[in-house]
Amino acid sequence: MTQTCIVVGAGHAAAQLAPSLRQEGWEGNILIISDEPYIPYHRPPLSKALLAGEKNLSEILIRPEAIYEKHNIHFRLSTRVESIQPTEKTIRLHDGEQLAYDKLALCTGSRVRKMPIGAGLAGVHYLRNIQDVEAIKADIHPHARAVIIGGGYIGLETAAVLKKLGLQVTVVEMMDRVLQRVAASEVSEFYTRVHAEEGVRIETGKVVGAIEADPQAQTAHELTPRVLTPRVQQVLCTDNTRYDADLVIIGVGVVPNTELAETAGLAVDNGIVVDELARTEDPHIVAAGDCTNHPNKLLGYRLRLESVPNATDQAKTAAASICGKQKPYCSLPWFWSDQYDMKLQIAGFNQGYDKVVLRGDNQTGRGFVAWYLRAGILLAADCVNRPKEFMLAKQLLSKNLPVTPEQLADESFELKSLLRS
């Protein structure tokens, strides 16, 4: 009998897992179910090229529709999975329909973390999908005042785009510096300086307590034009600081979508718990991408990663596991961020660092490297406009090669010589 693999979610992990199934020899049915109306698309351009109007939907698709047709991969779009019945090996959709599976892949990704303020106000947005971008673009006007709540990478990327589009931009961050959760103070100082040079106002140590409406300004609701929605006017902080706003974008992190797994009885701990083969506790269910908590032998601990490389690499492992093959997932984490004329490329994971070494100057110009070490061992590197060092950092980390702080800091020292030795 023909077997069926159902993939829940249509992000980067699903886009890789389904074709990889065919490459691994899966001859049965493949069905991808997504609550969005689109086939899988790249999410990093949402806060950059798509928001800036430099690309359209067709240009950010991960794969053209013809590729899925070629591999006989089917979609159910705008469809929400309500529950999983592992014993019966079925899923129930939002309309009550039940579908049977032989293998199930959870690629449910993550969603934005919501704040309990600003709900229902026109001009207040989150940024996670194409609909979000289109809604934001409708509120973009030259010289409009934009307030971005959250000074992480998404917030700073969005700030860069809005500034280039001619808006007045303020970033409000509750911590003492931007990027405080993910980067060293030297990197935070660099991005604060560059954004200030570009005309972006960055306010740190500010806790947003309310988003207030303009009693005189109302916007017609898109679906019900006769219903008028109050429009945002100000962002109010707990220290009574106020920021005028025509547009507010909230970017305060994401939450993994683990509810389906949890209610199905699967182990969940800051993500769906999987092993190095992307397998859950259920032998018929795998998981991949932002939603998983997985072991990494290179790092020596478990973690949950929100990155495209993690999603695609782990999806390949999940596809192999579905087909009865063992291809353990063990990749060096890497990430990137584009802001203005700068590309930040991050190799490794800086958790637990006790020393930061700079290669280049973070106080001037727009290119340098921040190396992270713990007890003299290299953990990670943040490389701004330094693609050569990024590639070398990946090799140094993957091969666990010894390197001294002096060698890392000295721009005249050829790091490539460490690979040869």
Side-chain angles (χ1 to χ4, degrees):
M1 295 178 63
T2 302
Q3 291 192 311
T4 295
C5 177
I6 294 179
V7 183
V8 182
H12 287 272
Q16 181 64 58
L17 192 149
S20 291
L21 276 174
R22 294 297 185 214
Q23 294 167 3
E24 296 292 350
W26 181 267
E27 296 179 350
N29 300 320
I30 302 175
L31 175 64
I32 299 176
I33 300 177
S34 174
D35 57 5
E36 290 196 68
Y38 313 102
I39 64 174
Y41 57 87
H42 289 282
R43 292 193 184 271
L46 294 180
S47 59
K48 297 181 275 288
L50 195 70
L51 181 60
E54 298 168 353
K55 290 187 177 181
N56 57 38
L57 172 59
S58 64
E59 294 175 303
I60 67 167
L61 293 178
I62 297 176
R63 289 181 173 82
E65 193 169 358
I67 295 296
Y68 300 106
E69 294 174 352
K70 176 184 177 182
H71 291 291
N72 197 24
I73 297 167
H74 301 281
F75 286 89
R76 290 281 293 269
L77 302 176
S78 300
T79 301
R80 187 175 66 257
V81 177
E82 288 287 353
S83 62
I84 304 168
Q85 294 76 43
T87 304
E88 294 81 11
K89 292 170 66 176
T90 61
I91 61 171
R92 183 168 61 83
L93 306 181
H94 69 279
D95 60 2
E97 181 182 1
Q98 286 199 328
L99 300 176
Y101 65 83
D102 296 281
K103 297 291 183 179
L104 183 66
L106 299 179
C107 302
T108 49
S110 54
R111 62 185 183 277
V112 293
R113 187 183 301 277
K114 295 288 184 77
M115 293 185 71
I117 54 175
L121 293 185
V124 177
H125 303 278
Y126 292 86
L127 204 170
R128 186 62 179 173
N129 56 42
I130 288 174
Q131 293 98 319
D132 294 337
V133 174
E134 294 304 315
I136 292 170
K137 288 170 71 173
D139 280 336
I140 291 177
H141 307 287
H143 310 299
R145 299 161 300 182
V147 174
I148 297 171
I149 302 174
Y153 286 120
I154 293 297
L156 296 182
E157 289 170 1
T158 305
V161 170
L162 294 183
K163 188 61 186 177
K164 287 171 63 177
L165 293 174
L167 281 72
Q168 301 174 41
V169 182
T170 300
V171 176
V172 180
E173 167 59 47
M174 68 179 293
M175 304 190 85
D176 294 334
R177 56 183 175 87
V178 297
L179 303 176
Q180 185 163 330
R181 296 182 183 87
V182 294
S185 59
E186 292 87 346
V187 177
S188 300
E189 292 168 4
F190 171 82
Y191 277 103
T192 298
R193 172 178 64 82
V194 171
H195 278 278
E197 292 172 353
E198 294 287 344
V200 171
R201 178 183 180 186
I202 292 184
E203 298 285 329
T204 57
K206 299 288 186 180
V207 178
V208 175
I211 300 176
E212 298 182 338
D214 182 352
Q216 304 301 319
Q218 294 187 326
T219 302
H221 193 278
E222 180 182 359
L223 300 179
T224 53
R226 293 185 179 181
V227 177
L228 297 180
T229 303
R231 186 156 195 90
V232 64
Q233 182 183 49
Q234 286 187 329
V235 172
L236 174 63
C237 294
T238 54
D239 64 357
N240 290 323
T241 306
R242 292 176 178 270
Y243 303 99
D244 293 334
D246 303 301
L247 165 67
V248 174
I249 299 175
I250 301 173
V252 291
V254 299
V255 179
N257 293 319
T258 60
E259 290 78 8
L260 277 177
E262 193 166 6
T263 56
L266 301 177
V268 170
D269 181 12
N270 184 31
I272 303 169
V273 176
V274 297
D275 63 11
E276 69 279 4
L277 298 175
R279 301 175 302 189
T280 70
E281 295 176 318
D282 187 305
H284 305 292
I285 303 176
V286 298
D290 288 13
C291 63
T292 67
N293 179 321
H294 60 275
N296 186 303
K297 288 186 177 180
L298 284 175
L299 300 178
Y301 51 82
R302 300 186 67 93
L303 75 166
R304 187 178 65 81
L305 288 176
E306 298 156 13
S307 79
V308 173
N310 168 68
T312 54
D313 290 347
Q314 196 177 31
K316 295 175 184 177
T317 290
S321 292
I322 288 173
C323 295
K325 302 176 182 179
Q326 295 195 357
K327 296 184 177 180
Y329 170 57
C330 184
S331 297
L332 178 76
W334 62 277
F335 317 82
W336 76 90
S337 175
D338 295 323
Q339 300 172 44
Y340 306 113
D341 57 347
M342 305 175 299
K343 176 175 282 295
L344 166 66
Q345 295 170 292
I346 304 170
F349 206 62
N350 65 22
Q351 180 174 298
Y353 71 90
D354 57 26
K355 185 179 183 64
V356 176
V357 175
L358 298 186
R359 188 181 184 91
D361 187 0
N362 71 326
Q363 300 296 322
T364 61
R366 298 201 174 185
F368 76 107
V369 182
W371 305 95
Y372 297 85
L373 299 96
R374 181 177 63 217
I377 304 299
L378 182 63
L379 296 179
D382 291 349
C383 308
V384 182
N385 286 344
R386 294 290 188 99
K388 178 181 176 182
E389 279 95 337
F390 171 65
M391 296 305 297
L392 291 170
K394 290 177 71 175
Q395 295 184 66
L396 291 171
L397 290 163
S398 296
K399 298 177 181 179
N400 197 26
L401 296 176
V403 58
T404 68
E406 292 74 22
Q407 291 170 332
L408 293 172
D410 184 0
E411 297 214 60
S412 66
F413 178 76
E414 281 287 342
L415 293 172
K416 188 183 294 186
S417 64
L418 298 173
L419 305 179
R420 291 193 294 268
S421 62

